[in-house]
PDB file of all heavy atoms in Angstrom:
ATOM      1  N   GLY A 122      14.601  11.233  12.727  1.00  0.00           N
ATOM      2  CA  GLY A 122      15.872  11.853  12.323  1.00  0.00           C
ATOM      3  C   GLY A 122      17.026  11.448  13.226  1.00  0.00           C
ATOM      4  O   GLY A 122      17.881  12.256  13.577  1.00  0.00           O
ATOM      5  N   LEU A 123      17.059  10.163  13.557  1.00  0.00           N
ATOM      6  CA  LEU A 123      18.069   9.687  14.513  1.00  0.00           C
ATOM      7  C   LEU A 123      19.493   9.829  13.982  1.00  0.00           C
ATOM      8  O   LEU A 123      20.389  10.271  14.706  1.00  0.00           O
ATOM      9  CB  LEU A 123      17.789   8.220  14.883  1.00  0.00           C
ATOM     10  CG  LEU A 123      18.807   7.572  15.829  1.00  0.00           C
ATOM     11  CD1 LEU A 123      18.803   8.256  17.184  1.00  0.00           C
ATOM     12  CD2 LEU A 123      18.525   6.078  16.002  1.00  0.00           C
ATOM     13  N   ASN A 124      19.720   9.466  12.729  1.00  0.00           N
ATOM     14  CA  ASN A 124      21.087   9.516  12.196  1.00  0.00           C
ATOM     15  C   ASN A 124      21.673  10.915  12.301  1.00  0.00           C
ATOM     16  O   ASN A 124      22.834  11.092  12.682  1.00  0.00           O
ATOM     17  CB  ASN A 124      21.112   9.065  10.729  1.00  0.00           C
ATOM     18  CG  ASN A 124      20.833   7.585  10.589  1.00  0.00           C
ATOM     19  OD1 ASN A 124      20.502   6.913  11.571  1.00  0.00           O
ATOM     20  ND2 ASN A 124      20.950   7.077   9.367  1.00  0.00           N
ATOM     21  N   GLU A 125      20.858  11.903  11.976  1.00  0.00           N
ATOM     22  CA  GLU A 125      21.315  13.285  12.010  1.00  0.00           C
ATOM     23  C   GLU A 125      21.639  13.679  13.460  1.00  0.00           C
ATOM     24  O   GLU A 125      22.639  14.337  13.732  1.00  0.00           O
ATOM     25  CB  GLU A 125      20.246  14.229  11.447  1.00  0.00           C
ATOM     26  CG  GLU A 125      19.958  14.044   9.945  1.00  0.00           C
ATOM     27  CD  GLU A 125      19.153  12.796   9.605  1.00  0.00           C
ATOM     28  OE1 GLU A 125      18.551  12.202  10.528  1.00  0.00           O
ATOM     29  OE2 GLU A 125      19.131  12.401   8.421  1.00  0.00           O
ATOM     30  N   HIS A 126      20.782  13.246  14.361  1.00  0.00           N
ATOM     31  CA  HIS A 126      20.989  13.580  15.763  1.00  0.00           C
ATOM     32  C   HIS A 126      22.269  12.925  16.292  1.00  0.00           C
ATOM     33  O   HIS A 126      23.059  13.563  16.997  1.00  0.00           O
ATOM     34  CB  HIS A 126      19.782  13.141  16.590  1.00  0.00           C
ATOM     35  CG  HIS A 126      19.818  13.616  18.012  1.00  0.00           C
ATOM     36  ND1 HIS A 126      20.399  12.891  19.023  1.00  0.00           N
ATOM     37  CD2 HIS A 126      19.377  14.761  18.582  1.00  0.00           C
ATOM     38  CE1 HIS A 126      20.291  13.561  20.162  1.00  0.00           C
ATOM     39  NE2 HIS A 126      19.672  14.702  19.922  1.00  0.00           N
ATOM     40  N   LEU A 127      22.480  11.680  15.935  1.00  0.00           N
ATOM     41  CA  LEU A 127      23.695  10.988  16.366  1.00  0.00           C
ATOM     42  C   LEU A 127      24.925  11.703  15.809  1.00  0.00           C
ATOM     43  O   LEU A 127      25.920  11.893  16.512  1.00  0.00           O
ATOM     44  CB  LEU A 127      23.668   9.527  15.899  1.00  0.00           C
ATOM     45  CG  LEU A 127      22.685   8.589  16.614  1.00  0.00           C
ATOM     46  CD1 LEU A 127      22.629   7.241  15.909  1.00  0.00           C
ATOM     47  CD2 LEU A 127      23.065   8.394  18.086  1.00  0.00           C
ATOM     48  N   ALA A 128      24.825  12.102  14.554  1.00  0.00           N
ATOM     49  CA  ALA A 128      25.967  12.770  13.914  1.00  0.00           C
ATOM     50  C   ALA A 128      26.321  14.051  14.654  1.00  0.00           C
ATOM     51  O   ALA A 128      27.510  14.356  14.872  1.00  0.00           O
ATOM     52  CB  ALA A 128      25.637  13.074  12.453  1.00  0.00           C
ATOM     53  N   GLU A 129      25.300  14.779  15.085  1.00  0.00           N
ATOM     54  CA  GLU A 129      25.553  16.009  15.840  1.00  0.00           C
ATOM     55  C   GLU A 129      26.284  15.729  17.150  1.00  0.00           C
ATOM     56  O   GLU A 129      26.921  16.616  17.709  1.00  0.00           O
ATOM     57  CB  GLU A 129      24.223  16.714  16.168  1.00  0.00           C
ATOM     58  CG  GLU A 129      23.626  17.465  14.999  1.00  0.00           C
ATOM     59  CD  GLU A 129      22.164  17.798  15.246  1.00  0.00           C
ATOM     60  OE1 GLU A 129      21.749  17.881  16.418  1.00  0.00           O
ATOM     61  OE2 GLU A 129      21.430  17.939  14.238  1.00  0.00           O
ATOM     62  N   HIS A 130      26.156  14.497  17.623  1.00  0.00           N
ATOM     63  CA  HIS A 130      26.799  14.145  18.882  1.00  0.00           C
ATOM     64  C   HIS A 130      28.008  13.240  18.674  1.00  0.00           C
ATOM     65  O   HIS A 130      28.382  12.450  19.545  1.00  0.00           O
ATOM     66  CB  HIS A 130      25.783  13.502  19.841  1.00  0.00           C
ATOM     67  CG  HIS A 130      24.750  14.480  20.302  1.00  0.00           C
ATOM     68  ND1 HIS A 130      23.681  14.841  19.509  1.00  0.00           N
ATOM     69  CD2 HIS A 130      24.664  15.232  21.422  1.00  0.00           C
ATOM     70  CE1 HIS A 130      22.954  15.748  20.149  1.00  0.00           C
ATOM     71  NE2 HIS A 130      23.530  16.006  21.308  1.00  0.00           N
ATOM     72  N   GLY A 131      28.567  13.320  17.497  1.00  0.00           N
ATOM     73  CA  GLY A 131      29.831  12.626  17.236  1.00  0.00           C
ATOM     74  C   GLY A 131      29.713  11.129  17.037  1.00  0.00           C
ATOM     75  O   GLY A 131      30.699  10.402  17.133  1.00  0.00           O
ATOM     76  N   ILE A 132      28.504  10.653  16.746  1.00  0.00           N
ATOM     77  CA  ILE A 132      28.330   9.212  16.521  1.00  0.00           C
ATOM     78  C   ILE A 132      27.931   8.993  15.062  1.00  0.00           C
ATOM     79  O   ILE A 132      26.996   9.617  14.569  1.00  0.00           O
ATOM     80  CB  ILE A 132      27.249   8.629  17.456  1.00  0.00           C
ATOM     81  CG1 ILE A 132      27.680   8.825  18.923  1.00  0.00           C
ATOM     82  CG2 ILE A 132      27.003   7.158  17.163  1.00  0.00           C
ATOM     83  CD1 ILE A 132      26.542   8.662  19.911  1.00  0.00           C
ATOM     84  N   THR A 133      28.659   8.122  14.388  1.00  0.00           N
ATOM     85  CA  THR A 133      28.367   7.860  12.983  1.00  0.00           C
ATOM     86  C   THR A 133      27.480   6.624  12.868  1.00  0.00           C
ATOM     87  O   THR A 133      27.810   5.573  13.402  1.00  0.00           O
ATOM     88  CB  THR A 133      29.668   7.616  12.192  1.00  0.00           C
ATOM     89  OG1 THR A 133      30.576   8.663  12.502  1.00  0.00           O
ATOM     90  CG2 THR A 133      29.405   7.603  10.699  1.00  0.00           C
ATOM     91  N   ALA A 134      26.360   6.779  12.169  1.00  0.00           N
ATOM     92  CA  ALA A 134      25.452   5.647  11.958  1.00  0.00           C
ATOM     93  C   ALA A 134      25.610   5.156  10.524  1.00  0.00           C
ATOM     94  O   ALA A 134      25.519   5.944   9.588  1.00  0.00           O
ATOM     95  CB  ALA A 134      24.016   6.089  12.217  1.00  0.00           C
ATOM     96  N   TYR A 135      25.859   3.874  10.378  1.00  0.00           N
ATOM     97  CA  TYR A 135      26.015   3.296   9.051  1.00  0.00           C
ATOM     98  C   TYR A 135      24.775   2.483   8.694  1.00  0.00           C
ATOM     99  O   TYR A 135      24.452   1.507   9.360  1.00  0.00           O
ATOM    100  CB  TYR A 135      27.253   2.398   8.990  1.00  0.00           C
ATOM    101  CG  TYR A 135      28.542   3.163   9.145  1.00  0.00           C
ATOM    102  CD1 TYR A 135      29.198   3.228  10.376  1.00  0.00           C
ATOM    103  CD2 TYR A 135      29.101   3.847   8.056  1.00  0.00           C
ATOM    104  CE1 TYR A 135      30.372   3.945  10.524  1.00  0.00           C
ATOM    105  CE2 TYR A 135      30.282   4.567   8.193  1.00  0.00           C
ATOM    106  CZ  TYR A 135      30.912   4.618   9.437  1.00  0.00           C
ATOM    107  OH  TYR A 135      32.074   5.336   9.580  1.00  0.00           O
ATOM    108  N   GLU A 136      24.105   2.904   7.642  1.00  0.00           N
ATOM    109  CA  GLU A 136      22.967   2.131   7.147  1.00  0.00           C
ATOM    110  C   GLU A 136      23.501   0.898   6.441  1.00  0.00           C
ATOM    111  O   GLU A 136      24.478   0.976   5.683  1.00  0.00           O
ATOM    112  CB  GLU A 136      22.113   2.967   6.178  1.00  0.00           C
ATOM    113  CG  GLU A 136      21.394   4.140   6.832  1.00  0.00           C
ATOM    114  CD  GLU A 136      20.286   3.697   7.779  1.00  0.00           C
ATOM    115  OE1 GLU A 136      19.903   2.509   7.755  1.00  0.00           O
ATOM    116  OE2 GLU A 136      19.808   4.560   8.553  1.00  0.00           O
ATOM    117  N   THR A 137      22.870  -0.260   6.643  1.00  0.00           N
ATOM    118  CA  THR A 137      23.414  -1.491   6.076  1.00  0.00           C
ATOM    119  C   THR A 137      22.505  -2.155   5.061  1.00  0.00           C
ATOM    120  O   THR A 137      22.937  -3.040   4.332  1.00  0.00           O
ATOM    121  CB  THR A 137      23.708  -2.512   7.192  1.00  0.00           C
ATOM    122  OG1 THR A 137      22.483  -2.862   7.831  1.00  0.00           O
ATOM    123  CG2 THR A 137      24.692  -1.948   8.200  1.00  0.00           C
ATOM    124  N   ASP A 138      21.249  -1.735   5.010  1.00  0.00           N
ATOM    125  CA  ASP A 138      20.374  -2.235   3.957  1.00  0.00           C
ATOM    126  C   ASP A 138      20.885  -1.653   2.638  1.00  0.00           C
ATOM    127  O   ASP A 138      21.281  -0.484   2.583  1.00  0.00           O
ATOM    128  CB  ASP A 138      18.945  -1.763   4.249  1.00  0.00           C
ATOM    129  CG  ASP A 138      18.012  -2.008   3.079  1.00  0.00           C
ATOM    130  OD1 ASP A 138      17.627  -3.164   2.875  1.00  0.00           O
ATOM    131  OD2 ASP A 138      17.676  -1.046   2.373  1.00  0.00           O
ATOM    132  N   LEU A 139      20.914  -2.452   1.585  1.00  0.00           N
ATOM    133  CA  LEU A 139      21.521  -1.999   0.337  1.00  0.00           C
ATOM    134  C   LEU A 139      20.897  -0.692  -0.147  1.00  0.00           C
ATOM    135  O   LEU A 139      21.596   0.258  -0.496  1.00  0.00           O
ATOM    136  CB  LEU A 139      21.397  -3.101  -0.729  1.00  0.00           C
ATOM    137  CG  LEU A 139      21.913  -2.763  -2.129  1.00  0.00           C
ATOM    138  CD1 LEU A 139      23.355  -2.259  -2.089  1.00  0.00           C
ATOM    139  CD2 LEU A 139      21.810  -3.983  -3.031  1.00  0.00           C
ATOM    140  N   ALA A 140      19.587  -0.643  -0.142  1.00  0.00           N
ATOM    141  CA  ALA A 140      18.929   0.562  -0.646  1.00  0.00           C
ATOM    142  C   ALA A 140      19.198   1.758   0.263  1.00  0.00           C
ATOM    143  O   ALA A 140      19.430   2.873  -0.214  1.00  0.00           O
ATOM    144  CB  ALA A 140      17.432   0.330  -0.763  1.00  0.00           C
ATOM    145  N   GLU A 141      19.204   1.508   1.570  1.00  0.00           N
ATOM    146  CA  GLU A 141      19.492   2.611   2.496  1.00  0.00           C
ATOM    147  C   GLU A 141      20.932   3.086   2.336  1.00  0.00           C
ATOM    148  O   GLU A 141      21.235   4.268   2.494  1.00  0.00           O
ATOM    149  CB  GLU A 141      19.250   2.170   3.948  1.00  0.00           C
ATOM    150  CG  GLU A 141      17.794   1.953   4.303  1.00  0.00           C
ATOM    151  CD  GLU A 141      16.967   3.243   4.323  1.00  0.00           C
ATOM    152  OE1 GLU A 141      17.531   4.337   4.183  1.00  0.00           O
ATOM    153  OE2 GLU A 141      15.741   3.120   4.465  1.00  0.00           O
ATOM    154  N   LEU A 142      21.813   2.134   2.026  1.00  0.00           N
ATOM    155  CA  LEU A 142      23.212   2.491   1.783  1.00  0.00           C
ATOM    156  C   LEU A 142      23.310   3.383   0.543  1.00  0.00           C
ATOM    157  O   LEU A 142      24.022   4.395   0.534  1.00  0.00           O
ATOM    158  CB  LEU A 142      24.028   1.205   1.590  1.00  0.00           C
ATOM    159  CG  LEU A 142      25.510   1.363   1.258  1.00  0.00           C
ATOM    160  CD1 LEU A 142      26.264   1.891   2.464  1.00  0.00           C
ATOM    161  CD2 LEU A 142      26.104   0.024   0.824  1.00  0.00           C
ATOM    162  N   ILE A 143      22.560   3.021  -0.490  1.00  0.00           N
ATOM    163  CA  ILE A 143      22.546   3.820  -1.717  1.00  0.00           C
ATOM    164  C   ILE A 143      22.058   5.238  -1.409  1.00  0.00           C
ATOM    165  O   ILE A 143      22.636   6.229  -1.850  1.00  0.00           O
ATOM    166  CB  ILE A 143      21.639   3.159  -2.782  1.00  0.00           C
ATOM    167  CG1 ILE A 143      22.210   1.805  -3.219  1.00  0.00           C
ATOM    168  CG2 ILE A 143      21.448   4.082  -3.988  1.00  0.00           C
ATOM    169  CD1 ILE A 143      21.221   0.919  -3.974  1.00  0.00           C
ATOM    170  N   VAL A 144      20.998   5.300  -0.610  1.00  0.00           N
ATOM    171  CA  VAL A 144      20.424   6.595  -0.246  1.00  0.00           C
ATOM    172  C   VAL A 144      21.429   7.398   0.589  1.00  0.00           C
ATOM    173  O   VAL A 144      21.669   8.578   0.346  1.00  0.00           O
ATOM    174  CB  VAL A 144      19.097   6.400   0.533  1.00  0.00           C
ATOM    175  CG1 VAL A 144      18.653   7.690   1.195  1.00  0.00           C
ATOM    176  CG2 VAL A 144      18.002   5.890  -0.400  1.00  0.00           C
TER     177      VAL A 144
END
Side-chain angles (χ1 to χ4, degrees):
Chain A
L123 177 64
N124 290 7
E125 294 74 15
H126 188 270
L127 288 172
E129 283 164 25
H130 292 79
I132 299 163
T133 311
Y135 293 98
E136 293 291 347
T137 63
D138 169 75
L139 177 53
E141 290 292 353
L142 177 70
I143 295 165
V144 167

